[in-house]
Amino acid sequence: MDAATYRTVWQRASDRCEYCRLPQASAPLFVFHVEHIRAKQHRGDDDPANLALACPASNRFKGPNLSAIDPETDKLVALFNPRTDMWKEHFAFVGALIAGRTPTGRATAALLNLNAEARVAMRTELQARGEM
């Protein structure tokens, strides 16, 4: 991936994880990843339309997955795609929790473990400081 594409992804995401909304500035001990929405093993490429900025936790849990099970309906659904889906349509903050509003939102929140205790604690602190 060339440097211009890398910068484009970072700027487009405003230095925030496009899944959990964590700002890079709040996590100085690890660097966010430019991740493939559709993994290369599934014929994804380095086109900016297939790239998203993700914190290490979101990227690790997402892996090469393209879909997950909605915990409410038990149906297989596509994961949230930051390039084609609107975050606010699929998710909402309830305090520091990220609630899925749709099957895609619920499945993505579950698969990416968006409400793990440590992640909620970090968002709680950031919200208290007005940084999120």
Side-chain angles (χ1 to χ4, degrees), residues 20-36:
C20 74
R21 297 300 207 222
L22 182 69
Q24 170 67 76
S26 69
L29 300 179
F30 49 83
V31 178
F32 286 12
H33 305 215
V34 173
E35 73 102 14
H36 292 87

Side-chain angles (χ1 to χ4, degrees), residues 77-95:
V77 298
L79 291 177
F80 172 75
N81 180 328
R83 299 289 64 79
T84 60
D85 298 328
M86 299 295 297
W87 196 91
K88 288 182 178 183
E89 184 179 311
H90 294 281
F91 306 100
F93 280 109
V94 178

Side-chain angles (χ1 to χ4, degrees), residues 13-70:
S14 301
D15 296 340
R16 287 185 179 272
C17 175
E18 294 188 73
Y19 297 100
C20 74
R21 297 300 207 222
L22 182 69
Q24 170 67 76
S26 69
L29 300 179
F30 49 83
V31 178
F32 286 12
H33 305 215
V34 173
E35 73 102 14
H36 292 87
I37 297 165
R38 182 177 182 178
K40 286 189 170 190
Q41 74 190 60
H42 297 301
R43 298 183 11 211
D45 57 25
D46 289 344
D47 186 283
N50 185 47
L51 300 172
L53 189 63
C55 70
S58 290
N59 192 35
R60 182 179 72 243
F61 286 112
K62 181 184 171 292
N65 292 300
L66 299 171
S67 60
I69 303 294
D70 172 13

